[in-house]
Amino acid sequence: MPFERRRHRGKPEGGTRPGLALRLAALGGILFLHLPLLFIVLYAFSAEDKSFVFPPPALTTRWFAVALEREDVRAALLLSLQVASVATVLALFLGTMAAAAVWRSSFFGREAISLLVILPIALPGIITGIALRSALNLGGLPFSFWTIVIGHATFCIVVVYNNALARLRRTSPSLIEASMDLGANGFQTFRHVIFPQLATALLAGGMLAFALSFDEVIVTTFTAGQQATLPIWMLNELVRPRQRPVTNVVAVFVIAITLVPILLAFYLTRHGQDAAGSGR
Amino acid sequence: MSAAAWQAGRADPIARFARYLHSRPRLMLALLLTPPLLWLGVIYLGSLLALLAQSFFYIDEFSGQVVRELSLRTYAELLTEPNLLVVARTVAMAAAVTLACALIAFPVAYYIVRYASVRLKALMYLGVMVPLWSSYIVRVYSWKLILAKEGVITWLAEHLGALWLLEAILAVPVLGGPSLSFSMFGTFIVFVYIWVPFMILPIVAALERVPRSLMEASADLGAAPIATFRRVILPLAFPGVVAGSIFTFSLTLGDYIIPKVIGTSHPYIGTVVYAQQGVAGNVPLAAAFTVVPMIVMAVYLTIARRLGAFNAL
């Protein structure tokens, strides 16, 4: 560690208050992250429908009604919700199983399992997407609801796995031993001891997986064929805009639908450090 | 549990199965591992390997059909000048984006760790996490509104009397364009915007691990705050920056949506892969192209490991 012991003559450390430059830079960074979304909300109320002119000439709420009436928007919204739900359930099962296996036992290739679980989000989405698509082509399988689900579940597993494993590692083994000593079998121990410990972590993991699946677009473009999830619908509008106000409203929907599960997930895992029965 | 219940438990087939499993931990392990391994190992890894295999096939020039025999012909095609230019452009963009992300992320992370009160810290943390998890496509779209010729940037430049500056930026050859929405600057801004949360979090994690006593010791030994920052904090936070750069670099290498929505017609690795497997129907070349980010990232990860980035993840 480069830790030189040269003496500097200067003011004693007075760093309890940040300098103006740092405060501005930090504020600027946070604003940079959030201001753009406010523009989307603003434009959803804009009366102008041909361009993105700023400031909007007048404000209106009529686009919300127009968007909700649109058959294609409703179909895309429904498809997205269905895909996200099924992918989340699959990821919950597979992620929990993988986490349980890695947690309780040491076996040959345990590290490889962790790597395998993380790989779908570590590699750029386009690689996962094109790999699945070419495999579907090689296997002669047509695109369907399930091909989208397969792609989504693959990269959602890691979210559940991480949440479940972190919680399991904080669950004291002595609780499980006590349960077994008192005569409960493996299933009973899981139901009455492990699962209650794990429940909020799984709920949080499931929420994040849902949000991740709901607005995924890169893998989906490769496995969806002609079907349009809500993000695919948005992407098509972005490349070839047809009705900008409706797109703005749909964008607001997407923000709202993904924000709720994410906030809930953080609420559920906010006490990251303390867990019941941690005797370690 | 009463004796009767225990007796019932013995007779219950589920309970017996549970006991049977408990006496055979290897079988239990196999049952737990098989479904996720089938999914990830067979479906996912199998697809990846199949893709890799296809990069060794090639397209017959006359029929346009994929010839399924092993050959390095596609890789020879990959190494021609226009394709290398695409790789160079993408890597340069990824490097520039990574640098900008680090510059924006560091003050935010530093403020979160050192100065924010408990409540503000939680709020700022959430303020970084929410954009990381949510609405990728919507967040890209927001810049379509902002950067449009008639949008807020132009309006702002007009009112600040800085229209000449905007025009000067757009007039830069290659990087400029008719409007920010159709320029390489635009692509760059959106990349930075989308990936910066991935840089903030690892830096926060690295800074959290710098013990306060170390800074106090440095101050006690007479170092000015700026010296403490440069000689104590920065070296200790650097692995966090490298860890964040793994994300920003890799994500930029593989993205094809952002350059398609905001930017010029100059191709990037992602857009070429998309076009080759789709419109052009040249899956072998698309597959060979996906090998490029894998190799670049493998090299990058090797260097990052040397710099200690994995301890900061």
Side-chain angles (χ1 to χ4, degrees):
Chain A
M1 217 174 291
F3 192 72
E4 292 176 39
R5 247 194 268 162
R6 219 166 53 193
R7 294 187 73 91
H8 284 266
R9 241 179 305 156
K11 288 175 290 181
E13 161 91 346
T16 46
R17 279 189 61 79
L20 183 66
L22 177 64
R23 272 188 287 177
L24 284 180
L27 184 69
I30 292 288
L31 285 181
F32 175 59
L33 278 176
H34 293 276
L35 273 186
L37 291 183
L38 289 184
F39 281 103
I40 289 193
V41 178
L42 174 69
Y43 274 95
F45 294 97
S46 171
E48 164 71 41
D49 65 346
K50 291 285 181 294
S51 75
F52 298 128
V53 64
F54 187 91
L59 297 179
T60 169
T61 54
R62 73 188 186 95
W63 303 123
F64 283 83
V66 173
L68 283 173
E69 286 297 307
R70 284 275 292 265
E71 233 12 85
D72 53 342
V73 172
R74 280 157 71 163
L77 177 65
L78 187 66
L79 181 63
S80 280
L81 289 174
Q82 286 169 331
V83 167
S85 307
V86 178
T88 301
V89 171
L90 277 170
L92 275 172
F93 276 104
L94 296 170
T96 312
M97 284 173 144
V102 166
W103 171 53
R104 272 321 285 272
S105 22
S106 57
F107 53 89
F108 178 74
R110 197 175 120 168
E111 294 298 309
I113 300 273
S114 316
L115 184 69
L116 190 59
V117 171
I118 292 167
L119 207 57
I121 57 163
L123 285 181
I126 193 168
I127 297 182
T128 304
I130 187 180
L132 287 173
R133 187 195 187 107
S134 67
L136 289 173
N137 283 343
L138 288 177
L141 294 167
F143 296 116
S144 70
F145 173 77
W146 291 102
T147 53
I148 308 180
V149 169
I150 288 174
H152 284 206
T154 304
F155 61 74
C156 284
I157 292 173
V158 61
V159 187
V160 177
Y161 171 85
N162 279 344
N163 271 281
L165 192 60
R167 183 65 59 88
L168 284 173
R169 286 199 168 132
R170 284 191 278 110
T171 305
S172 164
S174 57
L175 278 179
I176 292 146
E177 283 154 20
S179 165
M180 302 297 263
D181 287 348
L182 291 169
N185 66 41
F187 293 131
Q188 287 166 329
T189 303
F190 180 80
R191 227 191 95 202
H192 297 293
V193 179
I194 303 176
F195 187 73
Q197 294 263 329
L198 206 53
T200 52
L202 289 186
L203 197 54
M207 289 286 160
L208 290 178
F210 186 90
L212 204 58
S213 163
F214 188 82
D215 63 35
E216 210 286 337
V217 63
I218 294 188
V219 176
T220 319
T221 47
F222 288 96
T223 57
Q226 295 302 312
Q227 311 162 87
T229 60
L230 208 53
I232 297 276
W233 185 92
M234 280 218 58
L235 180 64
N236 291 338
E237 284 292 313
L238 286 190
V239 180
R240 269 178 301 280
R242 280 169 304 193
Q243 205 172 354
R244 293 172 202 233
V246 176
T247 313
N248 297 335
V249 171
V250 170
V252 174
F253 286 164
V254 174
I255 295 173
I257 294 176
T258 49
L259 188 63
V260 174
I262 295 168
L263 290 181
L264 205 57
F266 283 103
Y267 179 74
L268 289 168
T269 52
R270 68 197 183 286
H271 301 301
Q273 301 310 314
D274 50 80
S278 57
R280 287 197 262 189
Chain B
M1 211 181 281
S2 72
W6 193 77
Q7 280 297 331
R10 265 176 84 92
D12 183 6
I14 295 175
R16 277 174 54 193
F17 183 55
R19 270 172 235 288
Y20 177 75
L21 275 185
H22 190 64
S23 61
R24 280 173 183 70
R26 291 277 131 186
L27 178 65
M28 181 71 198
L29 184 65
L31 284 179
L32 280 177
L33 269 181
T34 307
L37 268 189
L38 274 181
W39 192 286
L40 290 170
V42 177
I43 300 182
Y44 180 61
L45 214 53
S47 305
L48 277 185
L49 292 178
L51 179 69
L52 201 61
Q54 289 187 68
S55 69
F56 293 99
F57 299 160
Y58 61 95
I59 285 272
D60 186 276
E61 278 169 40
F62 298 106
S63 66
Q65 296 293 311
V66 175
V67 182
R68 292 191 177 177
E69 56 189 61
L70 293 185
S71 140
L72 287 175
R73 228 177 277 196
T74 303
Y75 282 94
E77 193 185 341
L78 178 67
L79 295 177
T80 53
E81 205 192 315
N83 289 336
L84 288 179
L85 193 64
V86 170
V87 173
R89 179 183 300 123
T90 312
V91 171
M93 176 61 90
V97 167
T98 298
L99 198 67
C101 281
L103 288 178
I104 294 173
F106 203 94
V108 177
Y110 193 64
Y111 190 92
I112 290 179
V113 174
R114 274 211 74 184
Y115 296 110
S117 63
V118 176
R119 284 190 66 159
L120 183 62
K121 196 175 193 165
L123 202 65
M124 286 180 85
Y125 196 72
L126 203 62
V128 176
M129 283 305 256
V130 168
L132 188 147
W133 281 100
S134 71
S135 320
Y136 164 86
I137 188 79
V138 171
R139 298 202 303 131
V140 175
Y141 176 57
S142 68
W143 287 93
K144 194 98 180 160
L145 310 175
I146 295 167
L147 298 178
K149 207 176 183 64
E150 69 275 18
V152 66
I153 296 274
T154 311
W155 179 84
L156 210 62
E158 243 169 49
H159 283 73
L160 293 175
L163 221 45
W164 58 271
L165 182 66
L166 186 60
E167 272 159 19
I169 290 174
L170 289 176
V172 176
V174 184
L175 302 179
S179 79
L180 278 174
S181 192
F182 296 96
S183 70
M184 233 181 244
F185 279 125
T187 317
F188 168 76
I189 293 171
V190 180
F191 268 131
V192 173
Y193 169 70
I194 298 288
W195 306 139
V196 81
F198 290 86
M199 181 66 96
I200 297 176
L201 291 179
I203 300 181
V204 167
L207 284 172
E208 292 272 14
R209 259 176 262 164
V210 179
R212 208 159 269 268
S213 58
L214 218 56
M215 298 178 214
E216 283 160 14
S218 169
D220 287 348
L221 291 168
I226 200 88
T228 304
F229 180 79
R230 262 192 45 218
R231 294 175 184 278
V232 180
I233 297 169
L234 211 54
L236 289 174
F238 190 66
V241 178
V242 177
S245 76
I246 294 172
F247 294 110
T248 55
F249 205 85
S250 160
L251 290 166
T252 309
L253 281 187
D255 195 281
Y256 78 94
I257 304 262
I258 293 172
K260 210 163 102 172
V261 173
I262 309 267
T264 56
S265 55
H266 291 290
Y268 293 82
I269 292 177
T271 50
V272 170
V273 169
Y274 187 74
Q276 288 297 339
Q277 66 84 37
V279 186
N282 191 346
V283 177
L285 185 60
F289 248 111
T290 62
V291 176
V292 177
M294 290 195 224
I295 292 174
V296 173
M297 282 321 292
V299 173
Y300 199 92
L301 288 175
T302 316
I303 299 171
R305 187 192 288 269
R306 292 250 171 88
L307 294 172
F310 289 104
N311 302 324
L313 277 176

XYZ file of all heavy atoms in Angstrom, chain A residues 36-37 40 217 234-235 238, chain B residues 134-147 190-191 193-195 255 257-262:
283
model
N -33.735 13.419 -16.292
C -34.299 12.963 -17.567
C -35.654 12.292 -17.422
O -36.532 12.469 -18.274
C -33.242 11.976 -18.072
C -31.975 12.486 -17.508
C -32.333 12.992 -16.147
N -35.863 11.547 -16.334
C -37.151 10.880 -16.170
C -38.275 11.894 -15.956
O -39.410 11.669 -16.372
C -37.094 9.896 -15.004
C -36.213 8.671 -15.248
C -36.291 7.721 -14.074
C -36.622 7.945 -16.524
N -39.744 12.949 -19.177
C -40.721 12.013 -19.741
C -42.088 12.281 -19.152
O -43.097 12.352 -19.875
C -40.302 10.562 -19.456
C -39.086 10.223 -20.296
C -41.444 9.611 -19.759
C -38.772 8.774 -20.344
N -35.115 -5.645 -22.758
C -35.397 -5.482 -24.194
C -34.368 -6.205 -25.067
O -34.705 -6.733 -26.113
C -35.503 -3.978 -24.554
C -34.208 -3.261 -24.321
C -35.972 -3.791 -25.964
N -42.016 -0.183 -27.210
C -41.361 1.123 -27.073
C -40.193 1.243 -28.033
O -39.995 2.279 -28.664
C -40.842 1.296 -25.645
C -41.916 1.712 -24.696
S -41.303 2.884 -23.497
C -40.702 4.184 -24.520
N -39.406 0.162 -28.131
C -38.243 0.201 -29.024
C -38.680 0.449 -30.463
O -38.091 1.267 -31.169
C -37.462 -1.111 -28.919
C -36.230 -1.203 -29.802
C -35.203 -0.169 -29.403
C -35.615 -2.588 -29.742
N -39.400 3.934 -30.876
C -38.201 4.772 -30.848
C -37.538 4.797 -32.206
O -37.032 5.819 -32.653
C -37.201 4.231 -29.822
C -37.551 4.460 -28.374
C -36.396 4.103 -27.483
C -37.890 5.919 -28.173
N -34.023 -0.101 -13.142
C -35.301 0.113 -13.818
C -35.192 0.729 -15.194
O -34.278 1.491 -15.491
C -36.197 1.006 -12.948
O -35.699 2.314 -12.954
N -36.141 0.362 -16.014
C -36.536 1.107 -17.194
C -35.396 1.515 -18.125
O -35.282 2.672 -18.496
C -37.280 2.383 -16.784
O -38.119 2.134 -15.710
N -34.586 0.549 -18.509
C -33.500 0.825 -19.447
C -34.001 1.554 -20.687
O -33.522 2.632 -21.027
C -32.827 -0.501 -19.814
C -31.947 -0.477 -21.025
C -30.620 -0.092 -20.922
C -32.435 -0.856 -22.268
C -29.808 -0.087 -22.033
C -31.634 -0.854 -23.382
C -30.323 -0.471 -23.258
O -29.522 -0.458 -24.359
N -35.011 0.977 -21.323
C -35.456 1.531 -22.603
C -36.097 2.907 -22.411
O -35.934 3.808 -23.231
C -36.411 0.539 -23.315
C -36.724 0.998 -24.741
C -37.711 0.329 -22.568
C -35.645 0.701 -25.716
N -36.792 3.076 -21.284
C -37.425 4.369 -21.012
C -36.352 5.426 -20.769
O -36.472 6.571 -21.211
C -38.364 4.252 -19.793
C -38.857 5.609 -19.361
C -39.529 3.342 -20.110
N -35.288 5.026 -20.072
C -34.236 5.994 -19.788
C -33.481 6.385 -21.056
O -33.036 7.522 -21.194
C -33.292 5.445 -18.721
C -34.066 5.207 -17.413
C -33.196 5.175 -16.193
N -32.151 4.187 -16.273
C -30.888 4.447 -15.998
N -30.528 5.641 -15.613
N -29.998 3.502 -16.107
N -33.349 5.444 -21.989
C -32.765 5.808 -23.287
C -33.693 6.791 -23.994
O -33.258 7.809 -24.537
C -32.538 4.552 -24.165
C -32.053 4.947 -25.543
C -31.551 3.603 -23.509
N -34.982 6.466 -23.935
C -35.967 7.289 -24.627
C -35.956 8.727 -24.113
O -36.111 9.671 -24.890
C -37.354 6.660 -24.448
C -38.482 7.467 -25.031
C -38.473 7.820 -26.379
C -39.549 7.887 -24.244
C -39.497 8.558 -26.913
C -40.583 8.629 -24.785
C -40.553 8.963 -26.115
O -41.570 9.705 -26.652
N -35.753 8.889 -22.785
C -35.815 10.246 -22.232
C -34.827 11.174 -22.942
O -35.094 12.354 -23.120
C -35.543 10.208 -20.730
O -34.202 9.858 -20.476
N -33.693 10.619 -23.381
C -32.709 11.471 -24.069
C -33.113 11.817 -25.485
O -32.631 12.788 -26.057
C -31.330 10.817 -24.040
C -30.780 10.928 -22.662
C -30.890 10.017 -21.666
C -30.089 12.058 -22.096
N -30.310 10.503 -20.520
C -29.807 11.740 -20.760
C -29.694 13.303 -22.593
C -29.146 12.622 -19.905
C -29.035 14.175 -21.753
C -28.767 13.834 -20.436
N -33.995 11.004 -26.069
C -34.550 11.339 -27.373
C -35.327 12.672 -27.244
O -35.254 13.519 -28.118
C -35.491 10.212 -27.800
C -35.886 10.252 -29.234
C -35.046 9.312 -30.062
C -35.490 9.378 -31.504
N -34.453 8.873 -32.403
N -36.027 12.816 -26.127
C -36.771 14.058 -25.883
C -35.822 15.214 -25.627
O -35.989 16.311 -26.140
C -37.691 13.915 -24.666
C -38.614 12.722 -24.564
C -39.341 12.737 -23.225
C -39.624 12.754 -25.690
N -34.813 14.936 -24.794
C -33.937 16.017 -24.338
C -33.022 16.517 -25.455
O -32.811 17.718 -25.617
C -33.108 15.538 -23.130
C -34.037 15.257 -21.938
C -32.046 16.560 -22.745
C -33.377 14.508 -20.815
N -32.468 15.570 -26.231
C -31.463 15.942 -27.220
C -32.061 16.359 -28.566
O -31.328 16.804 -29.447
C -30.491 14.772 -27.447
C -29.667 14.335 -26.235
C -28.785 13.146 -26.609
C -28.814 15.478 -25.718
N -25.625 9.312 -23.648
C -26.626 8.336 -23.203
C -25.939 7.114 -22.585
O -26.371 6.609 -21.554
C -27.553 7.930 -24.365
C -28.584 6.928 -23.884
C -28.249 9.150 -24.921
N -24.843 6.650 -23.194
C -24.090 5.543 -22.595
C -23.682 5.890 -21.159
O -23.860 5.101 -20.243
C -22.819 5.242 -23.402
C -22.992 4.200 -24.470
C -22.549 4.432 -25.765
C -23.573 2.981 -24.175
C -22.695 3.469 -26.753
C -23.717 2.005 -25.160
C -23.277 2.256 -26.450
N -24.934 8.106 -19.157
C -26.117 8.225 -18.306
C -26.622 6.854 -17.845
O -26.944 6.654 -16.676
C -27.213 8.958 -19.074
C -28.563 8.923 -18.410
C -28.793 9.634 -17.235
C -29.613 8.188 -18.946
C -30.026 9.603 -16.616
C -30.851 8.156 -18.330
C -31.045 8.861 -17.166
O -32.267 8.826 -16.557
N -26.674 5.909 -18.795
C -27.264 4.612 -18.470
C -26.344 3.803 -17.542
O -26.794 3.103 -16.656
C -27.558 3.813 -19.761
C -28.574 4.550 -20.625
C -28.072 2.416 -19.418
C -29.982 4.558 -20.104
N -25.027 3.901 -17.720
C -24.131 3.009 -16.970
C -23.536 3.618 -15.700
O -22.905 2.913 -14.927
C -22.991 2.495 -17.849
C -23.403 1.833 -19.125
C -22.802 1.981 -20.335
C -24.471 0.883 -19.344
N -23.435 1.212 -21.285
C -24.466 0.536 -20.702
C -25.445 0.305 -18.519
C -25.374 -0.363 -21.260
C -26.356 -0.584 -19.077
C -26.308 -0.908 -20.426
N -23.753 -3.338 -26.066
C -25.046 -2.701 -26.277
C -25.275 -2.379 -27.759
O -24.375 -1.953 -28.444
C -25.129 -1.399 -25.473
C -26.546 -0.903 -25.378
O -27.015 -0.302 -26.368
O -27.163 -1.123 -24.346
N -28.729 -1.170 -28.591
C -29.931 -0.350 -28.638
C -29.574 1.142 -28.661
O -30.112 1.917 -29.444
C -30.813 -0.636 -27.412
C -31.127 -2.124 -27.334
C -32.058 0.237 -27.422
C -32.426 -2.551 -27.880
N -28.662 1.542 -27.772
C -28.352 2.966 -27.633
C -27.827 3.569 -28.940
O -28.353 4.585 -29.395
C -27.391 3.191 -26.441
C -28.126 2.864 -25.133
C -26.879 4.631 -26.412
C -27.254 2.864 -23.903
N -26.811 2.952 -29.595
C -26.357 3.562 -30.860
C -27.436 3.550 -31.937
O -27.407 4.371 -32.850
C -25.165 2.694 -31.289
C -24.914 1.723 -30.231
C -25.977 1.800 -29.200
N -28.383 2.608 -31.830
C -29.439 2.542 -32.840
C -30.452 3.669 -32.629
O -30.985 4.228 -33.578
C -30.148 1.185 -32.724
C -30.709 0.680 -34.031
C -31.021 -0.796 -33.939
C -32.500 -1.028 -33.759
N -32.871 -2.442 -33.858
N -30.728 3.991 -31.364
C -31.767 4.983 -31.070
C -31.203 6.404 -31.097
O -31.820 7.311 -31.643
C -32.405 4.685 -29.691
C -33.367 5.792 -29.291
C -33.131 3.353 -29.726
N -30.033 6.601 -30.490
C -29.424 7.929 -30.430
C -28.064 7.837 -31.101
O -27.182 7.152 -30.589
C -29.202 8.380 -28.971
C -30.483 8.240 -28.157
C -28.593 9.776 -28.910
C -31.343 9.434 -28.071
